[in-house]
Amino acid sequence: MQEEDYILFDAYINGELSDDEILKFQDKMDSDLEFSSNFNLYLDTTIFLQNTIRNEDETNAFKNNLNTVSENYFNKEKTTTKIVTPKRKPFNIIKYLAAACIALLVGFFVFNQFSDPTYSDFNSHEPMTIVRSENNVKELIEATKAFNNKNYDKANSLLKKILDTDPNNSELQLYYAITNIELDNFKIADTQLNKIVVGKSVYKNRALWYSALSKLKQKDIDATIVYLKQIPEEADDFKEAQDLLDKLE
Amino acid sequence: MSEKKIHEDQKYIDGLLNNNSFIIEAIYQKFVPKVVNYIKQNSGDAEQAKDIIQETIVTIYNQAKEKDLKLTCPFDAYFFLLCKRKWLNELKKKKNKEVTINEELLFKDDGAQELAYETLLFGEKQDLFNEMFNKLGKACKDLIKATFKINSMEEVAKSLNISYAYARKKKSLCIGQLTKLVQESPKFNQLNY
């Protein structure tokens, strides 16, 4: 009896029953409390399995990222020491000079807003934080350091090496692509980015943004616009993409 | 029934869903210190706080992914309540240890209690399902994994070298067996089924 019920539940969930059978099923759901509570649990279990198994890769990527942030946070907490605030110094001419410099800088940036946007307006990359490839941990740490110190030449050759052993890691592909944009290896950069754009990883939208920046650096404004327009509203870079789009169009 | 308004802090939930490092870091900067303090004041240390916080964030992520979680209260209150409950449950498990609990009302009730309760229940259900899934035999586990990964039962049958009809039947029975294990667990009655 129980076994037949399970087979029936599954057929109902998969939409394989005839109209007659569906009516019968729903009647039984209304009249037989045990049947309906067993079905609800079967349905919940199916949903649980579906989500857990189907989203396994994404969930693992999330857990890895979370773990990195958590480690960074708690390690920093451990090493934080009290910073002694300097005593107030008397007001002096240096402060006037500093204020004048700031005013000049602000003026410069305001002026810059009206000039044509260039790649260098946008290449303040988020620091690389990943170390989650199973192999090459040493190289990954080196690559992360090099990337964050803007030593793109070094980061590029290290990332290339790591990618050879972990070719489907889209996070690594993205950072590798960024170093290639920085080094003007546009062909490699664009190929890497395209791999991410057509894939299903969480870096898809960021890859679109960098594809646009790559084209911007190549002064191919039409292609830049095409990429920018594909960036969806929920993307982290949406606002910047819109700003850039406004300036280009 | 009135629709509850979604709180602007929904951005934290959406950020978690998108695996957005900025948002995760913001959660740590803004909301985690309070939790760490609470756990430290209540018989715990930083290491334990770290685990509780991580588990809580994963539960929120799963609920958002599976149940389209909509935040109707500030994230601060919701997150704190969740971590606090989780920590108190942890303490209960180690009953033999003497514990001190500083109960104080840190938030006025702005719907956070209710939402936190739902999330906790969701997390406990997930834990129970996971635990029982691991108790299934290897053949069932393999079949279920293949079914939900591959999507076409014909291909599943081929990959496991069994007939299509058998694969279909066996899949229903394996899921049935899992529901039975869940039902028979003593934890099941606490889960509002």
Side-chain angles (χ1 to χ4, degrees):
Chain A
M1 178 62 197
Q2 193 78 302
E3 286 200 355
E4 278 162 25
D5 279 350
Y6 294 145
I7 293 166
L8 185 64
F9 292 161
D10 213 57
Y12 180 77
I13 292 172
N14 290 318
E16 291 159 349
L17 298 182
S18 67
D19 290 350
D20 264 4
E21 286 168 325
I22 291 174
L23 279 178
K24 248 174 145 182
F25 187 93
Q26 286 166 348
D27 271 351
K28 199 163 183 194
M29 283 286 286
D30 291 337
S31 58
D32 185 339
L33 207 66
E34 200 188 336
F35 181 85
S36 78
S37 86
N38 280 341
F39 171 72
N40 286 331
L41 182 59
Y42 190 95
L43 182 65
D44 261 10
T45 311
T46 307
I47 295 172
F48 161 78
L49 290 170
Q50 195 165 318
N51 284 309
T52 319
I53 296 168
R54 200 166 287 163
N55 299 330
E56 205 178 8
D57 293 344
E58 264 178 56
T59 308
N60 285 339
F62 174 75
K63 282 184 182 167
N64 281 330
N65 200 9
L66 175 65
N67 196 38
T68 312
V69 175
S70 169
E71 287 293 331
N72 284 344
Y73 177 83
F74 280 95
N75 285 341
K76 219 185 277 164
E77 284 292 288
K78 258 188 233 161
T79 52
T80 306
T81 46
K82 276 194 178 167
I83 298 161
V84 186
T85 42
K87 279 182 192 156
R88 283 189 86 163
K89 282 180 190 155
F91 198 73
N92 57 27
I93 189 79
I94 304 234
K95 286 205 172 163
Y96 282 114
L97 282 173
C101 283
I102 291 168
L104 267 173
L105 272 172
V106 168
F108 174 72
F109 281 121
V110 169
F111 171 76
N112 227 12
Q113 291 287 309
F114 297 105
S115 58
D116 281 342
T118 60
Y119 173 73
S120 56
D121 299 336
F122 296 94
N123 72 338
S124 53
H125 314 297
E126 249 178 58
M128 182 170 165
T129 50
I130 45 142
V131 185
R132 60 176 192 87
S133 187
E134 270 167 27
N135 326 309
N136 318 94
V137 175
K138 211 176 132 227
E139 274 105 340
L140 259 170
I141 296 171
E142 284 292 301
T144 310
K145 269 193 214 155
F147 185 94
N148 293 340
N149 291 329
K150 298 193 187 329
N151 186 348
Y152 297 116
D153 218 356
K154 190 176 172 195
N156 181 273
S157 56
L158 285 163
L159 284 167
K160 186 171 189 285
K161 215 167 122 193
I162 305 162
L163 263 173
D164 280 342
T165 61
D166 192 0
N168 297 322
N169 187 327
S170 38
E171 205 167 0
L172 287 174
Q173 285 170 353
L174 178 69
Y175 286 109
Y176 180 56
I178 298 174
T179 59
N180 280 305
I181 301 175
E182 287 291 342
L183 301 170
D184 291 346
N185 302 327
F186 298 117
K187 221 171 167 180
I188 305 176
D190 293 346
T191 318
Q192 290 289 337
L193 290 169
N194 195 41
K195 272 192 217 164
I196 311 172
V197 168
V198 298
K200 284 186 180 147
S201 82
V202 287
Y203 303 102
K204 208 178 154 117
N205 293 335
R206 177 124 304 161
L208 280 170
W209 169 240
Y210 273 104
S211 298
L213 290 186
S214 169
K215 294 296 176 194
L216 181 68
K217 201 177 180 194
Q218 295 170 61
K219 302 209 163 32
D220 184 348
I221 302 302
D222 289 341
T224 309
I225 292 174
V226 169
Y227 279 116
L228 289 174
K229 284 190 170 165
Q230 290 177 56
I231 298 174
E233 218 168 306
E234 67 270 17
D236 296 336
D237 305 301
F238 180 73
K239 208 183 152 288
E240 275 193 296
Q242 289 303 307
D243 288 347
L244 178 55
L245 205 53
D246 287 344
K247 285 176 190 162
L248 292 174
E249 279 188 325
Chain B
M1 254 193 284
S2 64
E3 272 281 297
K4 278 187 189 161
K5 231 180 123 195
I6 294 170
H7 196 275
E8 60 179 75
D9 284 353
Q10 177 69 24
K11 64 181 178 214
Y12 294 109
I13 308 288
D14 295 341
L16 290 177
L17 262 183
N18 293 323
N19 196 5
N20 179 332
S21 305
F22 271 145
I23 293 284
I24 304 176
E25 273 162 25
I27 290 175
Y28 271 84
Q29 296 303 333
K30 279 191 184 169
F31 310 118
V32 159
K34 195 189 290 178
V35 177
V36 178
N37 271 339
Y38 178 82
I39 293 180
K40 279 185 179 167
Q41 281 165 14
N42 289 290
S43 314
D45 57 28
E47 204 53 39
Q48 288 165 315
K50 186 172 145 189
D51 291 342
I52 291 283
I53 288 159
Q54 235 166 305
E55 284 166 22
T56 303
I57 296 178
V58 171
T59 307
I60 299 175
Y61 171 85
N62 282 332
Q63 199 195 4
K65 188 124 208 153
E66 202 169 302
K67 303 261 173 182
D68 192 22
L69 170 66
K70 292 285 177 244
L71 202 65
T72 46
C73 62
F75 187 82
D76 193 7
Y78 167 71
F79 181 65
F80 181 79
L81 278 170
L82 271 177
C83 292
K84 178 179 148 185
R85 267 289 127 218
K86 241 190 166 90
W87 175 238
L88 295 181
N89 285 345
E90 195 68 32
L91 286 180
K92 259 195 235 158
K93 280 189 211 156
K94 317 175 201 155
K95 259 186 229 141
N96 47 347
K97 248 187 164 186
E98 270 294 308
V99 292
T100 48
I101 294 167
N102 285 328
E103 279 293 348
E104 50 185 315
L105 200 60
L106 287 157
F107 298 98
K108 59 178 190 305
D109 194 354
D110 32 20
Q113 297 271 5
E114 200 185 324
L115 200 61
Y117 175 73
E118 273 173 32
T119 303
L120 270 172
L121 205 61
F122 172 84
E124 278 165 18
K125 271 186 196 172
Q126 285 236 318
D127 290 347
L128 180 60
F129 279 127
N130 266 324
E131 192 187 330
M132 295 304 145
F133 180 75
N134 287 326
K135 284 192 177 165
L136 287 176
K138 189 177 177 301
C140 262
K141 267 194 238 170
D142 286 349
L143 177 63
I144 289 180
K145 276 190 186 164
T147 305
F148 289 105
K149 269 224 158 103
I150 302 179
N151 257 343
S152 134
M153 269 329 261
E154 277 97 350
E155 276 178 46
V156 171
K158 222 191 275 169
S159 77
L160 297 173
N161 225 357
I162 50 182
S163 78
Y164 171 74
Y166 179 74
R168 286 293 328 256
K169 185 177 169 197
K170 188 77 186 154
K171 174 206 159 195
S172 323
L173 299 187
C174 284
I175 298 179
Q177 201 187 331
L178 178 54
T179 61
K180 220 168 173 188
L181 284 171
V182 169
Q183 256 168 337
E184 281 164 4
S185 156
K187 287 178 199 159
F188 179 70
N189 289 331
Q190 298 156 16
L191 291 182
N192 268 16
Y193 266 107

